[in-house]
Amino acid sequence: GKDRALSTLTNFKYYHSLLIAFLQSKHKLDDISFKALNYSFIEDYVHYLRVTRKLSVRTTIGAVNRMREVISEAIDEGIIGKDPFFSYELESPEIKHRNIGRKDLEKIMAEEFDNETTAIVRDMFVFSTFCGLAYIDVKNLTYENIVKQEDESYWIMTHRQKTGSASNIRLMEVPLSLIEKYRNHKTGGKVFPVPIYQTVLNHLKKIDKQCKLGKNLSYHMSRHTFASLITLSEGVPIETVSKMLGHQDITTTQTYAEVSTEKILKDILVLSEKINGKYI
């Protein structure tokens, strides 16, 4: 609640419980000295997580990285002289972000829903698709975050809860219309009457089914779609997209960057015109 979210603490506690379970299973201990750590310890720990506990590669990477963060602090404080796992590298899986295409987005936008909560979740999803905000940032969004500029444009000016990074986004027509749609709802100063996350996921499944998408919709897909379909595929520079998404590192944005074949064709046609006659 100060410099990190509660979910971060929950995350650390989970990885701590895995480490304790390993120590008890492998070494019959509840704790171990930093100086007792060696290379085989990390190999045994990864084997325990992957084989005994049958955890995914991503979860295993998270557990190893959290432990190495603590080891790094121990080195900084002079408890140990060097990282006992210095040369250890755990292979990372290629992250495949999912997004939706233009036709599926148009289906979601045009569909009518009898259930009010389903309609709210659809509007939230569409809003995030056109401005790139994560679920928690939409939940926290207030009218104070909507700022009118001298040129009459409206901007979202906020900070991402996950990273604390500034996220400044010029609002386009679709998100502006959705803000106006909910302006008279009693939301305590918030822009949207946001349901809890599990409810949102349940209604996204209903949207997926009613629109016959077969995409297994998740809320974060709206953010990926903003990066790929709405911005990058329309020629917005990746540096600009990174700033709007509130990423601290542009390499994070690059993992979102899935440029459509249509965009590639457009760019090649422009390139062809520029270099026409320059090369014989």
Side-chain angles (χ1 to χ4, degrees):
K2 300 295 182 182
D3 61 347
R4 64 200 66 198
L6 176 62
S7 58
T8 303
L9 175 61
T10 304
N11 180 282
F12 265 88
K13 285 183 175 180
Y14 171 64
Y15 289 129
H16 177 254
S17 71
L18 291 177
L19 183 57
I20 293 297
F22 166 69
L23 286 172
Q24 293 172 340
S25 172
K26 177 73 176 178
H27 300 281
K28 310 304 180 188
L29 297 170
D30 291 324
D31 200 356
I32 191 170
S33 166
F34 278 105
K35 294 179 181 179
L37 298 176
N38 54 34
Y39 194 86
S40 63
F41 182 93
I42 191 74
E43 290 185 315
D44 291 342
Y45 185 39
V46 170
H47 183 271
Y48 169 79
L49 296 174
R50 294 288 289 125
V51 179
T52 305
R53 296 293 292 264
K54 295 181 171 57
L55 299 177
S56 69
V57 176
R58 293 187 67 177
T59 301
T60 302
I61 290 172
V64 170
N65 287 344
R66 295 297 81 75
M67 185 170 64
R68 295 186 86 162
E69 285 178 25
V70 177
I71 288 172
S72 179
E73 288 193 31
I75 294 170
D76 291 342
E77 294 181 18
I79 297 172
I80 51 177
K82 63 179 182 178
D83 183 355
F85 314 139
F86 174 73
S87 60
Y88 185 83
E89 288 189 17
L90 184 60
E91 184 178 347
S92 301
E94 181 181 353
I95 298 174
K96 176 65 176 178
H97 289 300
R98 298 187 301 128
N99 54 273
I100 59 175
R102 187 180 307 278
K103 289 184 179 179
D104 288 336
L105 176 58
E106 288 173 349
K107 282 183 184 178
I108 293 172
M109 293 176 69
E111 190 71 22
E112 294 185 7
F113 300 99
D114 296 330
N115 184 282
E116 182 182 7
T117 304
T118 307
I120 291 171
V121 171
R122 183 270 307 278
D123 289 345
M124 288 170 52
F125 185 88
V126 171
F127 182 82
S128 289
T129 299
F130 280 89
C131 66
L133 290 184
Y135 162 81
I136 190 62
D137 297 317
V138 173
K139 184 177 181 179
N140 294 335
L141 190 66
T142 68
Y143 287 104
E144 291 182 355
N145 299 131
I146 312 298
V147 180
K148 187 177 182 180
Q149 301 292 341
E150 292 182 0
D151 64 355
E152 301 296 315
S153 64
Y154 286 88
W155 288 67
I156 291 176
M157 292 191 170
T158 185
H159 287 79
R160 291 198 65 205
Q161 177 168 302
K162 182 178 179 180
T163 62
S165 301
S167 182
N168 299 326
I169 307 151
R170 189 186 191 280
L171 287 167
M172 294 179 280
E173 182 181 358
V174 171
L176 275 172
S177 66
L178 289 171
I179 289 171
E180 289 305 313
K181 179 178 179 178
Y182 289 93
R183 187 172 289 278
N184 294 324
H185 280 61
K186 295 180 180 180
T187 55
K190 299 291 181 66
V191 174
F192 293 101
V194 178
I196 63 172
Y197 192 60
Q198 188 57 52
T199 299
V200 169
L201 294 181
N202 292 338
H203 284 273
L204 282 173
K205 290 180 180 178
K206 294 179 181 179
I207 293 169
D208 194 357
K209 184 177 180 180
Q210 186 169 327
C211 294
K212 298 181 174 62
L213 303 178
K215 295 290 186 181
N216 189 24
L217 284 180
S218 69
Y219 196 86
H220 215 59
M221 287 173 71
S222 62
R223 192 164 157 84
H224 301 159
T225 304
F226 172 77
S228 57
L229 177 68
I230 303 299
T231 55
L232 292 172
S233 286
E234 294 298 332
V236 179
I238 194 168
E239 297 86 354
T240 303
V241 178
S242 184
K243 287 291 185 183
M244 289 191 288
L245 290 172
H247 286 159
Q248 294 178 315
D249 191 332
I250 199 169
T251 56
T252 305
T253 316
Q254 288 169 339
T255 67
Y256 282 58
E258 182 176 313
V259 179
S260 66
T261 304
E262 181 183 357
K263 166 62 176 169
I264 294 171
L265 177 59
K266 286 181 182 178
D267 289 345
I268 289 297
L269 288 174
V270 171
L271 176 62
S272 296
E273 291 179 3
K274 286 183 177 180
I275 67 173
N276 185 32
K278 291 185 177 180
Y279 299 94
I280 305 299

